[in-house]
Amino acid sequence: MKHLMVLLGLVALAVPCRSQDGSPANTPQEPDPAREAGEEEEDPFYKNPVNKLAAAVSNFGYALFRQQSSQTPSANVLLSPFSVATALSGLSLGAGERTEDVISRALFYDTLDKAHLHSTYKELLSSIGSPAKGLKSASRLVMERKLRMRITFVNELEKSCGFRPRVLSGNARADLQEINQWVQQRTGGKIVQFLGEIPAELSILLLGAASFKGQWATKFDPKLTKPQDFHLDEDRTTRVPMMSAPRAILKYGFDSELSCKIAQLPLAGGVSLMFFLPESVTQNLTLIEDSLTAEFVRDIDKQLKTVQAALRLPRLRLVAETRLGEALQAMRLQALFSTPNLSKISAKPIRLSHVYHKVAFDLGEDGASPVFGSETEAARLNFPIDYTLDKPFLFVLYDNDSGTLLFIGKILDPQQA
């Protein structure tokens, strides 16, 4: 596992912020997540087995995101890696020792108690499955036509991961309808068509799907949502519906090494959304992407400062469909696609042939408590922070209790399908 080797601290900038004409801006000094050399002591948070497992699965998610983002540098990337990790974890139940080790390394299970791994995973699934969190996650293994599976694997998979494998019947139309209906039901109707057709030469299809319909802890006033320019790059803009909260309360910091403004906003149900906004307009977000780990995000979360801000961000209603086979193979999982030992699933040689992922993310003005203050009220105040997501940014959605990464996005264009 790639550990965060340095301490993330928030310190005030050495000089006050300045306006474009060089005069001191009417803002306070911004906190700065500067890193200091040296090893960190283990956070007591990770002594809890569920939290430690959540960190491992999340680090898999960040690694998967980096791989996919590097393959599509000029497009949005939206993933719910937990659904993929759950299916991979389930697949490991049917693997021989060497193949199981391959999956375990990819999922960062190296430092975990393997004797209780799958029972802990079941506990993690339960903890983030609360309807209040707004996440609906679906994982499944679809097996080749009329494969005879070992009943011990089927039972253990359902017990530990909460789903049963699907064996193709050979009736393509009926198989397609059943799979799509299953995903639609598991995602609360948000993903209507997961597959357009049954893939050719299918041995094992790993299916990961998820939907998120979130609510802010404090809702936005829909009357303040207006079209506004979003800078796609230095030369191009597009108009997007921009939500506005003139007197928002959020957690904030500026990271001088990443050259980005970080803001964290709470959502209903015990989840949080963290935004990473580069200072300049750029579609190259790899410096930020390379820093993301479960431990790094937790350190930031603990050290950001609560501020009042004039907040503007796009309404996010996104759907993304991704083939993840190439990205997983780049994460040293090639053996799963060639000649893995999956003898605990079936006596017949089988392999991972397809990895399909589809997600829907919906976050508008809705909130659990009354709207942020009005423009009239804001006019009487002097706001220390302006936070406007009007250029490419990253976001991370995570569960507060366990730290589990639920969704991650690179948004180069909020209007991009």
Side-chain angles (χ1 to χ4, degrees), residues 357-369:
H357 185 58
K358 191 170 183 178
V359 294
F361 188 91
D362 186 351
L363 195 54
E365 291 89 348
D366 294 346
S369 63

Side-chain angles (χ1 to χ4, degrees), residues 278 282-290 392-394 410-412:
T282 177
Q283 292 196 349
N284 183 0
L285 305 177
T286 53
L287 185 63
I288 302 172
E289 293 170 8
D290 289 345
F393 62 91
L394 295 177
K410 175 180 73 174
I411 308 303
L412 305 183

Side-chain angles (χ1 to χ4, degrees), residues 13 15-20 25 27-33 231 233-234 252-263 275-285 287-288 385-394:
L13 292 174
V15 295
C17 299
R18 293 184 174 270
S19 62
Q20 291 182 347
T27 63
Q29 296 178 356
E30 299 181 352
D32 180 1
H231 300 271
D233 53 36
E234 292 183 348
Y252 174 82
F254 176 78
D255 190 313
S256 57
E257 291 186 21
L258 300 181
S259 190
C260 75
K261 298 176 180 180
I262 304 170
F275 295 103
F276 296 83
L277 178 68
E279 280 204 289
S280 59
V281 179
T282 177
Q283 292 196 349
N284 183 0
L285 305 177
L287 185 63
I288 302 172
I385 299 294
D386 183 292
Y387 198 82
T388 302
L389 289 165
D390 61 353
K391 51 183 175 280
F393 62 91
L394 295 177

Side-chain angles (χ1 to χ4, degrees), residues 146-197:
K146 297 184 178 179
L147 181 72
R148 297 185 64 179
M149 290 188 294
R150 302 189 192 279
I151 192 62
T152 52
F153 167 74
V154 174
N155 291 340
E156 187 61 29
L157 181 63
E158 185 172 26
K159 176 184 175 183
S160 300
C161 299
F163 67 89
R164 293 176 67 86
R166 162 77 182 187
V167 177
L168 296 179
S169 67
N171 183 329
R173 183 175 180 180
D175 288 333
L176 185 65
Q177 183 179 28
E178 192 280 336
I179 292 169
N180 284 335
Q181 287 180 347
W182 185 88
V183 172
Q184 183 175 353
Q185 180 185 17
R186 288 295 184 103
T187 59
K190 300 298 182 182
I191 297 177
V192 177
Q193 185 179 33
F194 184 84
L195 289 178
E197 61 182 5

